[in-house]
């Protein structure tokens, strides 16, 4: 029995289903969760299906997270999407679940589900969810579901620039158009910026620094976010402002979330960065990783490690 059939059968025999994601939500985990919820709800209208994810302002057009009681984790099938390990789950109640299916495209360092569907070569978990949909002729999906899965693919692929994008990926996007996708509306939503964000972007561009060998970085404190009236997520999204600068193939946005929690978003072109991220307790993909540390001394060690990588 193939993996799609296994997952389909588990969904078919469970009346209560919860879908969880990873912490610090992005377009792929939210899009995957909502997209899978919409497939299940459309195909099995009588089932209770909830997508539990962190709410992110720039993804509000997809809708807010559902809510669930603690007891629901004990008697529901829980599907974890776009999440490599239990420690990175957005909902710690995942630890109480008795039946977990893992669907993910990160390195499979922790296969915590009784079914583990992992395809590291895929550009987005949302692409895997759409594959699942395509493998069942009787499955249906709502317009919101298509929009959510497209959002997951287009954001995690960097608008189709990152590794993992294949001709097959583009064929699936074409199928989404055939299903009624209005891509222009989604892309316009993702491109929207507030007046405050535009002002903050100017601050970022004027305060970029570089290590001796060319790692670009910027440190953002809560005080800076308050001064420019931007939320943490809005500030984190500015990581792309540091990219595509000649002779600087690695860039890092360092965003202090709160005391003892400094989050580093690391990106690169043509250089694998996830091995160093793993050494500092983070992880991710070869060209897009994240690290969370407690102090700026460790941040400086991270910068030094990536600087040495560029030197080599």
């Amino acid at each position: 029995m193939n993996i799609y059939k296994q997952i389909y059968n588990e969904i078919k025999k469970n009346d209560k289903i919860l879908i969880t994601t990873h912490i610090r939500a992005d377009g792929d985990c939210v899009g995957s969760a909502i997209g899978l919820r919409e497939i299940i709800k459309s195909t099995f209208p009588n089932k209770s299906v909830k997508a539990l994810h962190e709410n992110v302002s720039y993804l509000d057009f997809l809708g807010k997270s559902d809510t669930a009681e603690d007891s629901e984790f004990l008697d529901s099938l829980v599907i974890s999407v776009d999440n490599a390990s239990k420690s990175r789950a957005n909902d710690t109640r995942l630890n109480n679940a008795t039946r977990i299916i893992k669907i993910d495209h990160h390195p499979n360092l922790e296969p915590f589900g009784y079914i583990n569907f992992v395809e590291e070569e895929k550009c987005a978990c949302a692409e895997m969810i759409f594959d699942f949909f395509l493998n069942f002729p009787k499955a249906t999906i709502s317009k919101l579901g298509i929009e959510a899965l497209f959002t997951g693919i287009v954001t995690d692929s960097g608008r189709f620039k990152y590794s993992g994008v294949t001709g097959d990926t583009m064929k699936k996007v074409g199928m989404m158009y055939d299903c009624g996708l209005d891509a222009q509306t989604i892309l316009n939503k993702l491109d929207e910026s507030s007046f405050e964000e535009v002002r903050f972007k100017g601050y970022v561009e004027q305060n970029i620094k570089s290590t001796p060998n060319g790692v670009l970085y910027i440190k953002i404190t809560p005080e800076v976010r308050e001064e420019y009236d931007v939320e943490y997520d809005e500030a984190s999204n500015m990581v792309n402002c540091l990219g595509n600068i000649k002779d600087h193939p690695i860039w890092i946005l360092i965003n202090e979330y709160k005391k003892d929690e400094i989050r580093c978003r690391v990106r690169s072109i043509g250089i694998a960065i996830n091995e160093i991220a793993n050494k500092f307790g983070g992880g991710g993909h070869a060209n897009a990783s994240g690290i969370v540390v407690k102090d700026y001394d460790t941040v400086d060690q991270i910068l030094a490690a990536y600087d040495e990588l560029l030197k080599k």
Side-chain angles (χ1 to χ4, degrees), residues 33-195:
I34 294 174
L36 181 58
R37 181 194 68 192
E38 292 302 296
I39 292 169
I40 299 171
K41 283 178 62 177
S42 298
T43 308
F44 302 104
N46 294 325
K47 293 186 183 296
S48 170
V49 191
K50 297 181 179 181
L52 308 175
H53 54 83
E54 295 174 353
N55 291 315
V56 184
S57 58
Y58 76 91
L59 297 171
D60 279 348
F61 64 91
L62 295 176
K64 298 292 187 180
S65 172
D66 299 320
T67 59
E69 300 294 328
D70 292 352
S71 59
E72 292 182 67
F73 279 81
L74 301 176
D75 60 1
S76 298
L77 171 65
V78 179
I79 305 177
S80 173
V81 297
D82 197 37
N83 179 33
S85 65
K86 279 189 173 182
S87 63
R88 296 196 72 247
N90 71 303
D91 197 318
T92 57
R93 294 177 295 179
L94 180 68
N95 293 309
N96 302 329
T98 57
R99 290 167 292 161
I100 302 173
I101 294 175
K102 176 183 177 180
I103 303 176
D104 188 33
H105 70 130
H106 297 93
N108 194 21
L109 302 178
E110 185 185 332
F112 57 83
Y114 71 94
I115 295 176
N116 295 281
F117 178 29
V118 178
E119 293 185 321
E120 297 178 26
E121 70 278 7
K122 290 296 172 66
C123 72
C125 186
E127 183 180 356
M128 297 174 63
I129 302 298
F130 194 63
D131 277 339
F132 172 74
F133 166 70
L134 293 176
N135 270 270
F136 293 98
K138 293 183 179 180
T140 58
I141 188 171
S142 66
K143 182 174 182 292
L144 172 59
I146 288 292
E147 292 174 347
L149 294 180
F150 175 75
T151 299
I153 292 173
V154 78
T155 55
D156 233 36
S157 69
R159 305 280 176 108
F160 309 110
K161 292 189 298 183
Y162 300 155
S163 61
V165 176
T166 64
D168 195 45
T169 305
M170 305 309 291
K171 288 175 185 176
K172 289 165 195 165
V173 171
M175 292 178 186
M176 290 180 173
Y177 277 87
D178 293 338
C179 291
L181 171 68
D182 179 2
Q184 184 176 4
T185 297
I186 301 300
L187 294 172
N188 287 342
K189 289 286 187 183
L190 293 171
D191 284 340
E192 283 181 354
S193 297
S194 66
F195 179 72

Side-chain angles (χ1 to χ4, degrees), residues 57 191-206 220 223-238 241:
S57 58
D191 284 340
E192 283 181 354
S193 297
S194 66
F195 179 72
E196 291 76 17
E197 286 177 286
V198 174
R199 289 182 64 245
F200 182 69
K201 181 179 180 181
Y203 168 85
V204 170
E205 292 175 338
Q206 292 181 46
I220 300 169
E223 290 76 20
V224 170
R225 294 199 302 271
E226 183 176 358
E227 178 182 351
Y228 285 87
D229 194 24
V230 294
E231 298 295 327
Y232 166 81
D233 292 321
E234 294 169 331
S236 292
N237 285 337
M238 293 296 166
C241 293

Side-chain angles (χ1 to χ4, degrees), residues 1 5-6 11 15 156 175 189 265:
M1 185 184 300
K5 190 67 174 178
Q6 290 181 54
I11 290 172
D15 292 329
D156 233 36
M175 292 178 186
K189 289 286 187 183
R265 303 189 77 182

